[in-house]
Amino acid sequence: MRLLLEKRSEHSHTMVYLSPVIAIGLTLVTGAIIFAFDGLNPLEALYVYFLEPLKYLWTFAPDDLWSLEQLAVKAAPLALIGAGLSVSYLANVWNIGAEGQLTAGAIFGSAIPVMFPEWQSPLTLVLMLVFGVLGGMAWASIPAFLKNRFGASEILTSLMLVYVAGLLLDWLVRGPWRDPGGHNFPQTIAFSDWQLLPSFDGTLHIGTLFAVIAAAALTVLMGRSLKGFEIRVLGASPRAGRFAGFSRKGAVWFCFMLSGGLAGLAGISEVMSTVGQLQPSISPGYGFTAIIVAFLGRLNPIGALVAALALAISYLGGEAAQVSLQISDKIAKVFQGILLFYILACDSMILYRPRLIFNRAPAAVPAE
Amino acid sequence: MQDHGELLSIILTIITASTPLLLAAIGELVVERSGVLNLGVEGMMAVGAVCGFGTALIFGPYVGIFAAIAAGVLLSLLFAFLTLSLVSNQVATGLALTLLGLGISGLIGVGYVGQPGAKLAHIYIPLLSDIPWLGPIFFGQDVLVYFSLALTAAVGYVLFRTKLGLVIRAVGDSHQSAHALGYGVIPVRYACVAFGGGCAGLAGGYLSMAYTPQWVENMTAGRGWIALALVVFASWLPKRVAIGAYLFGMVSILGLAVQTKGLGIPSQLLTSLPYIVTIVALVIISGNRALTRANTPACLGQPFVPDR
């Protein structure tokens, strides 16, 4: 038995949208098997993990609304970063250091409340957000510059900078930026009032709106503007892009500034809401999970928004599973990894039609 | 063990810090020479580390070594199936492998956190190992240090002095021509990817059984990515991979050594040295067109679908 791939005459539009659905289905089946091996009732475990966070949708019980809001709050940074990465990956610009840009954004933006703790005005909030975006961009400019000037692989440089950003944050919160009245805990002062994002009812904050706005804006940009067209051409066919006079270097800069800025915004928004101060760890790996979001969302900003909700469930479900099933929340990362594998496998059906050949083919000697 | 003096102990630590980098990088070098870019080294190392550690607790470190290799091979075959049989994007699939590997290792390792591990013993040859200075450096390492160097030599020999090596390089430089000549591009690549997976798993196992015999989540700390950079840095030549691995080992350990001196340099700055040096090294090498272009496998990262 062997597997043969037959190239489709044109790529299958149905599979583009069916592939993520199949991938999620296969991930759930795999999840059931893992749960069964762990001695759990698979159906019950799947319910606790993947459906309980959404309970409000059919109970409408006010008590259940909380987890839905949590879902939106966790999806927001994923969608923001995922949208930026979608555009980058479409252009074949492989920024995989969004986690570092998120950290840099959080650090830059937090410089304001740390250095001027007394300053409280609406401008504080705006400046913090702007600094966050600029911080992410600054961090992303390093791999972009090194790629364009020296041809250094942006994959490796952007990833190395994740570690550097993490260590920089660690140094700041243990050293110069540590809260003097904080009993030596590695954290800055707690932010307050205008140093925090306004929230609707305690959990849900306006940071979730940023994600929606970014997705809408990027959809217009990619679908209706010359820049979007340029990005798509350069990604699909670098040669055609060159002949059209589109600049590859310009695309690298554009993609890194965009995805870095959005990651920075996600970082400062996290610090200004859920976290409320700087501390050694400010993100459960949103920058890496956003890579999965980008692929699950078909490298489309609106798709990333939907995909972010799906992956936010994996975080929430992980927490729920730890409490009520007594399994480690580390299983969340396993599900996320499995999901990306299934997406990539199913995506090969967009371009190829798989055929299983059962009879033994005669020894394949090339015709030439 | 008697006190050897500070400099000697630094040299010995540099050797143990360099070995996992060398193991992972020499494996990835073979993978890339066959035209495949596997960015999942970090993930395979992490799973190798946790599987080696867990197995070593029960059966001892020598069985642990094989468990680590097996774990790396299994994960790499998953990658190979996707990228070679299903022709998925190699960059994306490699990233997926890293994310999955880190996830799996975290989950498997939950029960191992804080447990003392089984440490791989150093060899002892009577008389030879007792020579001051030279003894502990040349005749007192663990077996994997010698193995990593022998493996590097063997890879260099096979790649450039044997027919097998010629086939591997042909597949990596022009899969269409290799296919037309009747060589199985896909099987060769499967084998190379599996070899690279075994090496990455072993490198991870070395971390959790020799370098620091314990399990900590994310203990690979980017070494898989540094190994990937090393392959570029070495412009795909085994000899230079060995030199590069030892240079990087030196940088990371000298950072730690300076830290213990307490010169007031933030420890985080010293810890970040290997990452910064990696970036600098990549910039220097990538800027040198003549060096990179001569040896970069021409089909690196490109998909191949045999036409029947």
Side-chain angles (χ1 to χ4, degrees):
Chain A
M1 189 181 87
R2 64 205 185 98
L3 180 74
L4 202 72
L5 294 182
E6 226 168 55
K7 201 162 173 87
R8 293 179 195 267
S9 47
E10 57 184 304
H11 80 238
S12 156
H13 285 283
T14 336
M15 274 314 296
V16 171
Y17 297 102
L18 207 56
S19 161
V21 179
I22 301 175
I24 289 177
L26 287 171
T27 306
L28 293 180
V29 173
T30 312
I33 296 171
I34 296 177
F35 288 136
F37 267 107
D38 237 17
L40 298 163
N41 176 350
L43 286 181
E44 190 197 321
L46 282 182
Y47 173 80
V48 170
Y49 198 106
F50 294 101
L51 288 178
E52 201 144 77
L54 303 174
K55 210 160 50 174
Y56 181 78
L57 293 179
W58 58 89
T59 61
F60 294 108
D63 284 353
D64 295 335
L65 185 60
W66 181 82
S67 69
L68 216 54
E69 290 179 345
Q70 276 291 313
L71 191 73
V73 165
K74 286 209 155 52
L78 290 173
L80 265 179
I81 307 170
L85 293 184
S86 296
V87 174
S88 287
Y89 296 168
L90 213 52
N92 263 325
V93 174
W94 295 98
N95 175 11
I96 60 170
E99 183 78 6
Q101 292 139 23
L102 177 152
T103 309
I107 293 174
F108 270 59
S110 299
I112 296 172
V114 168
M115 292 180 183
F116 309 100
E118 305 300 326
W119 187 36
Q120 288 286 355
S121 102
L123 197 62
T124 320
L125 182 127
V126 176
L127 262 189
M128 281 177 75
L129 290 173
V130 171
F131 269 51
V133 173
L134 291 177
M137 284 180 159
W139 211 247
S141 71
I142 303 171
F145 172 73
L146 298 179
K147 169 81 177 179
N148 280 344
R149 178 72 181 73
F150 302 102
S153 157
E154 77 275 29
I155 298 176
L156 295 172
T157 52
S158 66
L159 191 104
M160 287 294 127
L161 287 168
V162 173
Y163 292 97
V164 180
L167 287 162
L168 177 64
L169 173 64
D170 196 74
W171 173 65
L172 286 171
V173 296
R174 288 174 204 279
W177 285 11
R178 193 173 55 197
D179 178 7
H183 305 289
N184 263 345
F185 277 111
Q187 57 196 27
T188 63
I189 52 155
F191 302 165
S192 58
D193 305 317
W194 284 110
Q195 298 158 348
L196 293 171
L197 290 176
S199 88
F200 299 115
D201 63 348
T203 309
L204 205 59
H205 54 80
I206 61 165
T208 46
L209 284 181
F210 298 159
V212 180
I213 296 168
L218 283 184
T219 306
V220 175
L221 177 97
M222 291 307 287
R224 312 258 156 174
S225 75
L226 179 63
K227 195 79 205 167
F229 180 67
E230 201 181 305
I231 296 284
R232 279 183 286 128
V233 171
L234 278 167
S237 167
R239 264 171 66 85
R242 241 190 344 265
F243 283 127
F246 297 151
S247 152
R248 171 78 194 152
K249 291 188 174 182
V252 170
W253 271 114
F254 178 79
C255 291
F256 265 102
M257 290 302 99
L258 178 75
S259 52
L262 288 174
L265 180 61
I268 189 63
S269 302
E270 274 299 290
V271 170
M272 293 171 76
S273 57
T274 321
V275 190
Q277 64 196 153
L278 276 189
Q279 56 188 46
S281 162
I282 50 169
S283 142
Y286 286 138
F288 292 114
T289 307
I291 297 173
I292 308 175
V293 167
F295 282 104
L296 185 66
R298 314 286 73 197
L299 302 186
N300 171 316
I302 298 286
L305 200 59
V306 180
L309 287 168
L311 280 165
I313 294 182
S314 75
Y315 277 116
L316 274 190
E319 289 165 16
Q322 185 152 27
V323 175
S324 40
L325 300 174
Q326 270 84 50
I327 51 176
S328 165
D329 65 345
K330 305 219 183 312
I331 200 162
K333 299 267 172 204
V334 177
F335 281 139
Q336 294 171 2
I338 292 175
L339 176 62
L340 182 52
F341 258 107
Y342 280 132
I343 301 164
L344 294 169
C346 294
D347 274 358
S348 94
M349 281 182 278
I350 296 171
L351 287 174
Y352 303 97
R353 193 175 285 122
R355 287 228 186 289
L356 272 180
I357 304 205
F358 287 96
N359 57 331
R360 263 195 80 78
V365 178
E368 279 99 329
Chain B
M1 206 199 273
Q2 78 259 39
D3 187 28
H4 292 304
E6 202 181 2
L7 185 60
L8 181 62
S9 81
I10 290 179
I11 294 175
L12 293 177
T13 327
I14 288 174
I15 296 174
T16 38
S18 309
T19 301
L21 292 176
L22 177 57
L23 284 168
I26 199 71
E28 178 68 15
L29 181 137
V30 173
V31 179
E32 293 191 13
R33 274 288 183 178
S34 81
V36 181
L37 179 65
N38 185 352
L39 294 181
V41 181
E42 180 84 2
M44 298 187 289
M45 273 180 84
V47 177
V50 77
C51 289
F53 182 88
T55 313
L57 280 184
I58 308 169
F59 300 106
Y62 290 100
V63 185
I65 288 176
F66 287 98
I69 296 176
V73 170
L74 272 180
L75 273 184
S76 71
L77 286 177
L78 196 62
F79 169 86
F81 177 69
L82 255 78
T83 53
L84 302 175
S85 295
L86 296 179
V87 211
S88 67
N89 180 315
Q90 293 183 8
V91 173
T93 314
L95 288 176
L97 188 63
T98 286
L99 294 174
L100 180 66
L102 290 175
I104 291 178
S105 67
L107 187 63
I108 296 179
V110 171
Y112 295 148
V113 177
Q115 281 201 46
K119 191 173 184 338
L120 199 58
H122 286 223
I123 62 162
Y124 178 77
I125 307 170
L127 295 179
L128 283 180
S129 302
D130 294 326
I131 305 171
W133 283 85
L134 302 180
I137 294 177
F138 292 102
F139 306 107
Q141 304 293 338
D142 56 68
V143 286
L144 286 180
V145 170
Y146 304 108
F147 176 76
S148 66
L149 294 168
L151 187 70
T152 308
V155 165
Y157 177 79
V158 169
L159 273 181
F160 297 100
R161 295 273 182 279
T162 66
K163 185 173 174 207
L164 174 65
L166 192 64
V167 172
I168 292 175
R169 286 185 293 132
V171 163
D173 274 327
S174 171
H175 44 220
Q176 293 298 356
S177 330
H179 177 66
L181 286 169
Y183 295 115
V185 172
I186 301 296
V188 168
R189 287 188 173 166
Y190 257 98
C192 289
V193 169
F195 175 80
C199 288
L202 181 59
Y206 190 84
L207 284 177
S208 65
M209 291 184 284
Y211 186 59
T212 48
Q214 54 175 330
W215 166 253
V216 185
E217 204 185 353
N218 295 329
M219 71 183 294
T220 45
R223 287 188 181 82
W225 295 101
I226 293 181
L228 275 158
L230 268 176
V231 179
V232 181
F233 175 74
S235 52
W236 292 270
L237 295 174
K239 213 184 302 167
R240 290 191 197 155
V241 162
I243 297 170
Y246 273 78
L247 276 177
F248 274 81
M250 205 154 78
V251 169
S252 54
I253 294 306
L254 287 183
L256 288 176
V258 170
Q259 213 164 309
T260 53
K261 290 266 177 261
L263 295 177
I265 304 170
S267 68
Q268 291 90 345
L269 179 63
L270 296 167
T271 314
S272 65
L273 266 184
Y275 310 116
I276 296 171
V277 170
T278 303
I279 297 175
V280 173
L282 273 174
V283 165
I284 293 171
I285 293 296
S286 308
N288 188 338
R289 286 284 168 81
L291 249 179
T292 44
R293 214 170 260 172
N295 292 308
T296 313
C299 288
L300 187 60
Q302 289 174 18
F304 176 74
V305 185
D307 40 357
R308 297 255 170 183

